[in-house]
């Protein structure tokens, strides 16, 4: 089936970074390195070319992320695929680079309350840590993405001023971030808030959206209409922050890709193969997944073999 031409108001193509192997699995019962590698390979087979694989944090703090270096070693270099490591500090950045990460991701927060609970640092201290990570990334010629939590609201402070988010975006770039991603960590974004923040920071950012209040796909479309071309999503819709009560999973990769396919926006991802990866994930974690497509399937069933929609 020939996909429709994209609407003139939408980008012709976008990049989807799947964060399922990291953000999705961090709150699940720990899986073996071999099983996590199976999931990454399934995502690669579906056409994902940007995948957050794991995080170099203390296994005591995040047992599900133990063995990150072993995981990168098991995966090796994959042609055309960027394998991302989340790092909390310079030590983690050094270890991730040594393990072969193609890109580093580091977090800070627009919410002081969330920052202290998540990374046990103030916003100012997080910026100092980011600068050290940035120096390591530059030395290793490894791209760095700064992910700013709670850009669209915080369970601790409520609304976050768009100008404050813009200040942090600038500060992150000054401290070595090659890219910046705005995260709706606890699902407080609405299309209005997406517009207000993008008015302040511009559209050269990624969006990382959560489904806590059922608005992730709606907010992704609002960002798409504004010209945003980078989106984080998690296969199966797994994820959530362990540091914010009630925070739900991420925008599901398969739900996002299904809508983008229908809009004629190219992702390079095969929806049928992505649903195979989602089914594998369901089997690995041993429970149903939050994503709608993992339950209902695509709106038009595949007619061209197991690869899915054509």
């Amino acid at each position: 089936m020939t996909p429709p031409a994209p609407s003139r108001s939408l980008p012709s193509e976008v990049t989807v970074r799947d964060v399922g192997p990291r953000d999705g699995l961090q709150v699940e019962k720990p899986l073996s390195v071999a099983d996590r590698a199976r999931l990454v390979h399934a995502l690669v087979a579906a056409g994902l070319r940007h995948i957050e694989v794991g995080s170099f944090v203390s296994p005591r703090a995040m047992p599900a992320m133990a063995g990150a270096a072993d995981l990168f070693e098991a995966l090796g270099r994959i042609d055309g695929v960027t394998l991302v490591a989340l790092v909390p500090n310079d030590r983690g950045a050094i270890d991730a680079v040594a393990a072969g990460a193609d890109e580093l991701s580091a977090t800070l927060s627009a919410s002081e309350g969330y920052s202290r609970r998540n990374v046990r640092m103030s916003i100012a201290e997080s910026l100092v840590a980011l600068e050290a990570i940035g120096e390591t990334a530059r030395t290793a010629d490894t791209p760095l993405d700064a992910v700013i939590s709670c850009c669209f609201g915080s369970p601790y402070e409520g609304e976050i001023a768009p100008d404050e988010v813009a200040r942090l975006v600038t500060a992150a770039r000054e401290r070595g971030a090659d890219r910046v991603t705005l995260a709706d960590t606890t699902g407080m974004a609405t299309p209005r808030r997406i517009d207000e923040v993008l008015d302040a920071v511009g559209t050269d950012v990624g969006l990382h959206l959560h489904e806590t209040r059922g608005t992730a796909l709606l907010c992704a479309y609002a960002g798409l209409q504004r010209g945003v071309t980078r989106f984080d999503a998690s296969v199966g819709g797994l994820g959530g922050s362990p540091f914010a009560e009630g925070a739900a999973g991420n925008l599901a990769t398969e739900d996002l890709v299904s809508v983008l396919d229908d809009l004629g926006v190219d992702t390079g991802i095969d929806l049928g193969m992505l649903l195979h990866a989602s089914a594998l994930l369901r089997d690995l974690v041993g429970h149903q997944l939050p994503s709608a497509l993992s339950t209902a399937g695509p709106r038009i069933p595949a007619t061209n073999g197991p690869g899915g929609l054509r």
Side-chain angles (χ1 to χ4, degrees):
M1 182 175 69
T2 302
S7 165
R8 284 178 295 176
S9 63
L10 301 179
S12 61
E13 60 183 3
V14 302
T15 298
V16 178
R17 176 171 63 179
D18 194 289
V19 299
R22 197 283 300 176
D23 199 348
L25 292 180
Q26 71 177 2
V27 295
E28 295 289 326
K29 181 179 178 180
L31 300 180
S32 69
V33 166
D35 281 342
R36 285 148 63 190
R38 286 176 64 199
L39 176 61
V40 172
H41 284 302
L43 293 171
V44 171
L48 268 300
R49 292 297 176 261
H50 209 167
I51 304 170
E52 192 174 64
V53 170
S55 57
F56 284 76
V57 297
S58 166
R60 294 187 301 276
M62 201 70 71
M65 292 292 101
D70 294 335
L71 177 57
F72 274 90
E73 182 179 358
L75 292 168
R77 299 285 183 179
I78 304 176
D79 287 345
V81 178
T82 298
L83 300 179
V84 185
L86 176 70
V87 298
N89 49 40
D90 186 40
R91 179 71 258 170
I94 292 169
D95 290 345
V97 168
D102 300 310
E103 179 178 295
L104 303 180
S105 175
T107 63
L108 59 154
S109 180
S111 161
E112 192 71 50
Y114 183 81
S115 181
R116 292 186 181 277
R117 287 165 176 81
N118 183 33
V119 295
R120 298 181 182 179
M121 290 188 287
S122 67
I123 295 173
E125 289 168 335
S126 291
L127 286 170
V128 173
L130 179 66
E131 187 165 17
I133 293 168
E135 290 175 0
T136 295
R138 281 194 299 274
T139 300
D141 195 24
T142 301
L144 171 63
D145 182 13
V147 181
I148 304 178
S149 302
C150 299
C151 285
F152 306 99
S154 163
Y156 306 107
E157 291 93 0
E159 297 281 35
I160 302 292
D163 287 348
E164 179 61 20
V165 177
R167 184 188 74 79
L168 279 175
V169 169
T170 298
R173 288 171 173 155
E174 290 174 347
R175 285 159 178 79
D178 300 285
R179 290 184 287 277
V180 176
T181 296
L182 309 182
D184 182 31
T185 312
T186 60
M188 295 180 70
T190 66
R192 171 186 65 84
R193 290 292 294 160
I194 295 288
D195 273 339
E196 290 174 350
V197 173
L198 291 179
D199 282 344
V201 307
T203 59
D204 185 20
V205 292
L207 288 178
H208 177 112
L209 303 165
H210 282 248
E211 280 288 14
T212 308
R213 293 169 179 83
T215 60
L217 195 55
L218 178 64
C219 289
Y221 185 67
L224 192 70
Q225 287 183 307
R226 290 293 303 269
V228 174
T229 59
R230 292 190 290 111
F231 295 89
D232 283 359
S234 175
V235 60
L238 286 184
S241 170
F243 304 102
E245 185 177 352
N250 294 268
L251 170 62
T253 309
E254 54 266 44
D255 296 354
L256 176 63
V257 170
S258 175
V259 170
L260 293 174
D261 279 354
D262 187 68
L263 292 169
V265 178
D266 183 29
T267 63
I269 300 168
D270 184 300
L271 182 58
M273 293 297 290
L274 180 57
L275 287 170
H276 285 304
S278 182
L280 169 63
L281 176 61
R282 180 194 61 216
D283 292 342
L284 290 175
V285 299
H287 60 76
Q288 285 298 120
L289 304 176
S291 84
L293 258 72
S294 69
T295 300
R299 57 182 294 272
I300 299 177
T303 58
N304 231 5
L309 303 182
R310 295 289 192 269

